[in-house]
Amino acid sequence: MTKSLVGHSKDLGANFIIRRVLPAMEKRSVGPFVFFDHFGPVPVVTGEELVVRAHPHIGLATITFLYDGVITHRDSLKVEMDIRPNETNWMVAGSGIVHSERSKFDPKYEILEGIQTWIALPADKEEIEPSFEHFSEQEIPVLTKDGLVFRLLGGSYLGLRSPATVHSPLFYADIEIKQSADLVHWDLTDKEEAGLYVSRGAIESNGESYAVGSMVLFEKGTSVSFKAKQNSRLILLGGEPLTEKRNIFWNFVSTKQENIERAKERWAKDEFPKVPGETDRIPLPT
């Protein structure tokens, strides 16, 4: 029987609901991916549906991908960037970065919905310099066939290579698939594992049905195999798992607990770099 995860709902306030799939008790990570949130859909009324005040990260890369709506990213590298549907923001925290995320009103969009993931950095790159990359829809490699659109958001897969800078072997993709499309069957190497998340619609994989909020897991050396039961939107993620155990506290990820303790101390003492224009910040959890 194919293994799977089901995201649990969490209210971030003001009825802004997310589905958190990773980490889970059954599976802490998929490839190097240690965190997976599906946020929304929520109606856009004021444009202030999502307000995430300034907060820090270490030891990871965050990726934001939107289906609908607009979010403004600001960070301590002095980057300010709007992200729109079918675009990605890649932020490498490394030794430490601070950022904020705020939705904004745009009459083109009636809802706000997207995916945010975290990728753990290899142990020897956990403390690299922070960086930020934004990719427009036109910069993202696309593979199309009957009833299928495959956008490679990061890494390498199916002969495509993303322009996003990655620090370990991985793949990360957005998939639109129609009910009329053929059965999909993509082989994994004996070093790769994968997860396939259902954002919209429903699929069948190895005789089991999966609805919105489910992530189907595929072990190393098997095949990503599925058929759309209705027009669907999916996220494929995976790659080679990192060998070292990761400690996770709040927004901090590291192979070394002392790095996390130091980051906690730095944030409590307001020693992280500042985000220009942000005067409010999220306090350290107690």
Side-chain angles (χ1 to χ4, degrees), residues 31-85:
F33 292 83
V34 296
F35 182 94
F36 187 101
D37 268 2
H38 176 190
F39 56 87
V42 294
V44 174
V45 179
T46 66
E48 298 180 358
E49 281 67 29
L50 175 69
V51 178
V52 181
R53 296 169 291 157
H55 60 283
H57 290 281
I58 66 164
L60 55 82
T62 71
I63 307 98
T64 304
F65 177 73
L66 286 187
Y67 296 126
D68 277 288
V70 184
I71 292 176
T72 300
H73 161 99
R74 296 184 180 91
D75 66 36
S76 51
L77 299 176
K78 300 182 180 179
V79 171
E80 180 170 335
M81 176 66 67
D82 284 350
I83 180 172
R84 297 173 182 274

Side-chain angles (χ1 to χ4, degrees), residues 35 44 50 56 80 90 94 103 108 143 149 185 190 192 213 227 252 260 275:
F35 182 94
V44 174
L50 175 69
E80 180 170 335
W90 285 73
S103 57
K108 291 181 183 176
L143 177 68
V149 179
H185 192 86
D190 58 4
E192 298 172 328
K227 177 80 171 65
F252 306 141
I260 290 180
V275 179

Side-chain angles (χ1 to χ4, degrees), residues 32-35 57 60-62 116-120 248 250-251 253:
F33 292 83
V34 296
F35 182 94
H57 290 281
L60 55 82
T62 71
Q116 187 165 88
T117 54
W118 295 357
I119 299 173
I248 301 178
W250 193 36
N251 305 311
V253 175

Side-chain angles (χ1 to χ4, degrees), residues 174-193:
D174 165 55
I175 299 167
E176 291 185 77
I177 186 167
K178 295 186 180 299
Q179 185 177 1
S180 59
D182 292 338
L183 172 74
V184 171
H185 192 86
W186 298 323
D187 292 335
L188 297 170
T189 71
D190 58 4
K191 293 183 179 180
E192 298 172 328
E193 61 181 5

Side-chain angles (χ1 to χ4, degrees), residues 1-4 205-208 210 216-218:
M1 179 177 175
T2 303
K3 295 180 180 178
S4 64
S205 179
N206 296 324
E208 299 285 334
Y210 299 95
V216 190
L217 301 175
F218 301 93

